[in-house]
Amino acid sequence: MISAEDALAAIHAHARVLGAEPIPLGRSVDRVLAADVFAATALPPFDNSAMDGFALRAADLKDATPQAPVELTVLETVRAGQTGLLCVGPGEAVRIMTGAPLPRGADSVVMVELTEPGAGGKVRLAGSTRARSHVRARGEDVREGSLLLEKGALLRPCDIALLAAQGITEVPAVRLPRVAVLATGDELIDYRDEPAAGRIRNSNGPALLAALSRWGLPAENLGIAPDEPAALRETLADALARADVLVVTGGVSVGDFDCTKAVFAGLGLREIFWKVAIKPGKPLYFGALEAPDGACKLAFGLPGNPIAALVCLEEFVRPALETLQGHAPKHPSYHLSGTADNDYPKPADRLQYLFCRARPSPGGYALDVIRPQGSAMLGMASRANALALAPAGVDRVRAGDVLRFRWLK
Ligand code: AMP
Ligand code: MG
């Protein structure tokens, strides 16, 4: 048994950022840039007004005061999207809207709220202004040719805005890992079918696919395979040709018919670890296959017990998927802490993920540790809203202990 920490380190050591693919900008949010992107144009692309008001020459208002206002002749109105026809000379102004190009000759904008209509269509100004005031200068935000976004950047909506403003329609992104999901077990039937005696519905498949789809990952559903090495091998060999990551549930324990690990080995996967000091999820298997092109395919053998499978998916598979996509791994993240309401015995040699009901309490959160809990207890997990860490090295959680937890979403 290796520790959860060592297991995660081994996973990160084998997960390599995948290659690049071009992505239309409109579908690139949350993707990672596979190359630096440089500015094709300056932003703003031209000097323009930051206010609705009047474009004028600051020198004309040098002596303007409430006692001695200055009146300027208004030449025309420039709307956003238009360019003015006229050049602003001494004693002149142009009525201008936010975003409209600054007319030639003008060097400043005074907001409309600080002006009054003057005689004969003129505009009256009762104060001075500085040159460049309320002018958004060409290139003040982004210089042409400058580095816009660095390779490795996670594209957020504000980055999409930046790229769109540049007219960039496609970006080089790290491609998404292709994941294949297979449930193994002679007892399993599709959840839409009626089980005969002794059979149960495959709940792992739908749960794992739901999690992957929520993480935005394309997953291939390989369905159900029996505990037969030949059949399992055929399904997995075929999937391995296409997938970057195989996620198989069941058959990784020490049962007489458990054959997942042997089949992985037969496909050339090297066992990196098997058995992690965690509860639930102890039989977790992780293997890797170095491909000739330098890529590294990954295989996870998750325990068949549904709650163990889901915990392992979140705690160990998800970090691998993040690394493959070029994300700085942010899971698992237990950044909240809460105080246990009750005692709960646990194996001292393992880290336990405890299903809890967390609720706000004065000064933080209180954690009601659900009793009993087990790796096959689906109803129990659905009653929980939080997963808390009970560290290895202690044989029980005691009421009053402070535990780190995360929401179960
Ligand atoms: P295994 O890891 O194959 O020994 O399976 C452990 C337990 O999980 C057994 O009780 C299985 O019946 C159950 N199990 C395995 N696979 C699934 C699945 N896909 N859906 C629901 N339960 C499963
Ligand atoms: Mg089984």
Side-chain angles (χ1 to χ4, degrees), residues 23 37 75 120 128 148 153 172 189 228 238 264 278 324 355 383 392 402:
I23 292 287
V37 177
L75 300 178
S128 61
L148 270 188
I189 61 155
E228 306 273 356
D238 185 48
F264 278 147
I278 53 173
L324 292 174
F355 288 81
R383 284 192 294 278
V402 174

Side-chain angles (χ1 to χ4, degrees), residues 184-187 227 249-252 257-258 304:
T184 71
D186 287 342
E187 71 278 34
D227 296 312
T249 69
V252 283
F257 306 102
D258 287 347

Side-chain angles (χ1 to χ4, degrees), residues 182-185 187-189 198 200-206 224 227 249-255 258 260 283 302-306 375-376 378:
L182 176 69
T184 71
E187 71 278 34
L188 301 177
I189 61 155
I200 59 164
R201 295 186 174 94
N202 169 22
S203 58
N204 287 343
I224 299 169
D227 296 312
T249 69
V252 283
S253 211
V254 290
D258 287 347
T260 305
L302 310 186
N305 277 309
S375 58
L378 298 169

Side-chain angles (χ1 to χ4, degrees), residues 64-79:
T65 62
Q67 293 71 38
V70 167
E71 294 203 347
L72 302 175
T73 304
V74 180
L75 300 178
E76 60 176 342
T77 297
V78 193
R79 307 158 63 125

Side-chain angles (χ1 to χ4, degrees), residues 12 18 23 66 87 177 200 223 244 271 289 292 318 332 345 353 362 398:
H12 287 308
L18 296 170
I23 292 287
C87 179
I200 59 164
D244 302 299
E271 181 182 306
L289 173 64
R318 189 176 195 183
Y353 305 98
R398 290 188 168 76

